[in-house]
Amino acid sequence: MTAPQDDRPVLQISGYSLAYETPEGTVAALDDVTLDIRHGETHALVGESGSGKSSLAWAILRYLPANARETTGEILLSGEDLRAKTQAQMEALRGRRIAMVFQDPSAALNPAMRLGDQIAEVFMRHRGMSRDAAWAAGLAALEHTGILHPDRIMRRYPHEASGGEKQRVVIATAFACNPELIVFDEPTTALDILTAQQILDLFLRLRAETGVAALYISHDLELVGRIADRVSVIHNGRIIEAGPVHEVFSAPRANYTRDLMAAVPRPEMRIAVPEPAPAPPLLRVSGISVSYGGPGRIARMLGRAGQPFYGARDVGFDIRPGELLGLVGASGSGKSTMAQVISGLREFEGEVAFGDRRFHARRAFDRDYRRAVQIVFQHPDASLNPRQTIGGILSRPLRLYGLVPRAEVPARVRELLETVLLPPEFASRYPHELSGGQKQRVAIARAFAAEPQLVICDEITAALDVSVQAAVARLLTGLQRRSGAACLFITHDLNLIRQLAHRIAVMQKGRLVDSFDVAEAESPARHPYTRALLQAVPLPAELQGAPAP
C-alpha cells in the first residue's frame, strides 16, 4: 500500500466547480465542492439523481467529456494535483493508485474477455507480472472475495456470471494493486438484497484489511448509515451538509437532508392502500413450472449441462381484485420468471386462471387477457420506444384496444400525463429528454392506459433514488385506488413492500417458500429464508426516528 506518510488526506477536493457546454448554453454541474477523505475512512456522497454525484466521480478519475469546463478548485491525491496530470500519467495512475467500482458491473467488464484475463491484466500492467504470475495473483484476489469456485469464474465470460459474481470480480480488480483510493458508484443498486449485503460485508472486510480510503456514492441512506464514517449531502451540485454520518443523520440541519431521510421506506409507516375486495381471486396460478432446457448457457454456468434448469417449479398463488401482492426473493429466485408467465412473455407448464377462464399455454392468452394484464418493467429505457414521442407511446394502447374515439386520443393522453403528475407538454417530448423517474411515470401511465384489471410491477423502483422511489410508490397506490386494479409488485426491498402490500409471497430458487399477510412479517412462523431477507434490511438507528413523509 502506498499510504501517505503524514496526516494529509488521501483525497482533498477544495472549491471545485464544473460545468458542461450544451447547445442550450452552459449548465452548472458542481459548485464550490469541498471534501476530504483520510486513510482508512469511508466518505459517503448522497443525493438525488442529477445532483452531481457521478460528475464528481468522473472529475476525480479524470474521465470528463470534451464539453466539460472546470472553472475553479483543485483535486489532490495524497497531495498531488490530479488536474495537472496528463492523460498518460492518469492512465498509469488508474488501477494502481486510484480505482473505481461501477454501479453496473456488466458495463465495467469487457464482454469479449474472460474474467480471469481482465483481473490478470491489472497485475500485468501495474505490477509488471508475467501472464502466468498475473493469473495466479488474480485467482488469489478473487478467492479472497469469498466467491465460490474462483477457478471456474476466472474462465467464464461476463455473460456467464451472475450480477453478484461480476461485482466481486470488479471489486477484486479494484483492490488488486492496493490503491490509495477507491471510488464506489452505487455498487449494490443492481443487486438483490442478500447479494448486496454480501458485497457490503466484503467491502468492509477488505477496507479493514487494506486501510483504503473510499468515496462511496449512493442514494441509499440505509446503506450509508451502515458503512460510512462521514457523509456529504449534495443538492444541485453543492454540498449543503457534511459531517460524521451519525451526527448528520441524527440531527440534520438542512431541509433537503430531512426530506431525504423522510423518504426512506419504513415498514411501520404504511402508505394508504385500499383494502382488497372480498371476492373470489382475480388471478390464480397453480403448478407453474418453467424449464430453461439442458444444454443452454444457464445449465453450463451451473455445471449441469444436459439437465433442465427450472426458473420456477410448481409455483402457486392468487391475487384478489384490488389487492397488492408483494413477490420478493433474491436474484434468480424466479420472481421475474413468474411475471413473464403471467404477462404472456414466457411459455410454462401448469395453469393460469383469470376470473372464470383457464389457460395452460402462452399462446392461449387472447387479446382480452393481454389488455387486462399489463406489466411495468424495471428499466423504462428498455421498454419505451426511443423513436416515438411520449404522446405516441401513450396513445398506442388507446388505439390498439379502441378505448376512446380517435378524435379524443390527444385529450386522453394529456389526462394520462396529468394522472402521473407530468405536464401535458411532455406529450411532444422523447424518452431521452426525461429523467429516470419521469420515464418510469410514463411507463406506469402506459400500463394504466389499457384500463387493466391487474398491473405487474417488476422492480420498478430499483434504479430510482429514495425520494423518487417514494413518489412513484405513492403514485402507484393512488392509481390502484382510483382504478380498482390489482397489483403484483415484484421487489427485493422488504422495507418498501411492507409499506405497500396486503400480502407478501417469498420465492427461493424457483419455489414459493412462504406467503403471509403483511402484518405477520415478524411472526416466528416465518420461513428461515424470509427471516434472512428481513434481517438483511435493518434501518440504522439514526433513520428510525426520521419524520414521516
Side-chain angles (χ1 to χ4, degrees), residues 48 94 187 189 230 303 309 320 386 396 445:
E48 296 173 293
R94 295 188 200 108
T189 296
R230 296 174 58 82
F309 170 76
R320 290 171 286 172
R396 188 173 187 277

Side-chain angles (χ1 to χ4, degrees), residues 9-82:
V10 174
L11 177 70
Q12 186 171 15
I13 303 174
S14 305
Y16 181 77
S17 297
L18 172 72
Y20 297 108
E21 299 293 343
T22 73
E24 290 76 30
T26 302
V27 177
L30 296 168
D31 183 12
D32 194 29
V33 170
T34 296
L35 64 83
D36 60 68
I37 309 175
R38 299 186 178 274
H39 180 69
E41 181 182 58
T42 296
H43 193 120
L45 184 66
V46 303
E48 296 173 293
S49 298
S51 61
K53 304 188 302 294
S54 292
S55 286
L56 186 60
W58 296 128
I60 295 168
L61 273 291
R62 314 308 299 155
Y63 275 132
L64 292 172
N67 68 330
R69 300 290 180 264
E70 298 173 289
T71 54
T72 62
E74 60 183 9
I75 302 175
L76 307 180
L77 179 67
S78 298
E80 296 182 26
D81 186 0
L82 293 181

